[in-house]
Amino acid sequence: VAEVEICAGDTMESDRPDTFSFRVGSATFTSLLAGSLVGALTATWKDVPVVERNQAWPALVKTGRVMGTHAALFAAVGGTYAGVECIAEEVRGTKDSWNGILGGIAAGGIIGIKGAHVERIFTLGRGSGPGSPLALQVVLTRIFSSFAS
């Protein structure tokens, strides 16, 4: 089965594939690792259950849950951002900042779902607010890369 070439950019510039599945998969995996790290740091500073009778298992289980929760959220946000950016690029037929902005709004929607603000997920309220830093990052990257070239 041949892979659909959504987001197939110039592969002449680099050796890495630029397919939809590669971009979404790498963003999801990288975000998963970052979320695991943030979860480990959060678990370090949060209250962990008291270790009774020299048994560390309850603390390890709680740490694993915190890491898993953060990793899942980060992976969902990263994968959604990359997926929507690729789809927007394909649908719009152009590679510009608006694709990243749309990805940021969708990623903010994932954070809105996590925060149970279902009625405000894709509005200009709290749902898209968390996606705004992602959109700003894309815009600033595009601006600074235009100065470099």
Side-chain angles (χ1 to χ4, degrees):
V1 176
E3 171 145 359
V4 178
E5 288 292 323
I6 296 177
C7 286
D10 293 339
T11 54
M12 305 277 276
E13 294 178 3
S14 68
D15 292 334
R16 72 176 174 84
D18 202 20
T19 61
F20 177 80
S21 60
F22 178 80
R23 287 175 65 177
V24 172
S26 62
T28 302
F29 182 72
T30 304
S31 299
L32 180 97
L33 291 177
S36 296
L37 179 63
V38 169
L41 293 173
T42 301
T44 301
W45 281 290
K46 266 187 149 181
D47 293 332
V48 290
V50 177
V51 179
E52 297 178 14
R53 287 183 250 132
N54 295 327
Q55 294 179 348
W57 188 250
L60 289 173
V61 169
K62 178 156 176 136
T63 300
R65 282 190 193 134
V66 172
M67 288 176 66
T69 301
H70 282 78
L73 177 63
F74 276 54
V77 169
T80 300
Y81 174 81
V84 171
E85 183 184 35
C86 284
I87 291 169
E89 182 180 317
E90 181 67 22
V91 169
R92 295 179 65 241
T94 155
K95 196 171 192 172
D96 62 4
S97 300
W98 287 105
N99 301 330
I101 290 169
L102 293 172
I105 290 170
I110 296 297
I111 296 172
I113 290 171
K114 168 79 166 82
H117 298 292
V118 178
E119 72 280 356
R120 294 181 266 181
I121 290 172
F122 294 107
T123 65
L124 293 177
R126 293 184 191 192
S128 63
S132 299
L134 291 172
L136 178 63
Q137 180 267 333
V138 170
V139 171
L140 291 176
T141 301
R142 304 294 170 139
I143 290 171
F144 289 122
S145 66
S146 68
F147 286 128
S149 39

